Amino acid sequence: MEVPLTLTIDTEAETARVAVAGEIDSAPAPQLATAIDRALQSEARRVEIDASQVTFIDSAGLRVLVAAQRSAEENGRHIAVVDASETTERLLAITGLSEYLLA
């Protein structure tokens, strides 16, 4: 049974935090991309992706994170995955993205 993805965005000062809970695969990945885009459209210079409640992430989720990081850099902003769940942290390490995306 697939766990539905839930997203919340909180902005405080120069940081927007996108809290993600559930599974990130090809079906909900566009929802995550939209939430990150909204956070990047705010006045925040830094966007944190709180992945503490992520139970599964696949290549579709990774593509969203990498694309968002590239977009942020092009616009003088920064994106970082914070409080990564063990699942997320392990996948980022295996793919070599931990230095690129983890805070």
Side-chain angles (χ1 to χ4, degrees):
M1 184 170 124
E2 188 171 313
V3 177
L5 187 70
T6 58
L7 300 157
T8 57
I9 303 171
D10 292 312
T11 303
E12 187 173 306
E14 291 195 9
T15 302
R17 189 173 186 104
V18 179
V20 185
E23 298 180 355
I24 308 170
D25 57 24
S26 59
Q31 291 174 274
L32 176 59
T34 299
I36 294 171
D37 286 343
R38 277 193 302 204
L40 286 170
Q41 291 172 7
S42 71
E43 297 296 318
R45 304 299 306 153
R46 176 179 171 84
V47 175
E48 297 178 345
I49 312 299
D50 178 345
S52 62
Q53 299 299 312
V54 172
T55 56
F56 175 82
I57 184 169
D58 70 3
S59 60
L62 290 178
R63 277 192 303 273
V64 168
L65 294 175
V66 170
Q69 177 63 19
R70 287 183 181 153
S71 176
E73 286 178 354
E74 289 172 1
N75 294 298
R77 297 185 182 193
H78 180 73
I79 288 184
V81 175
V82 298
D83 300 327
S85 65
E86 185 178 322
T87 300
T88 303
E89 196 168 321
R90 186 174 44 244
L91 183 59
L92 292 175
I94 289 169
T95 59
L97 293 172
S98 55
E99 288 184 34
Y100 183 66
L101 290 171
L102 286 177

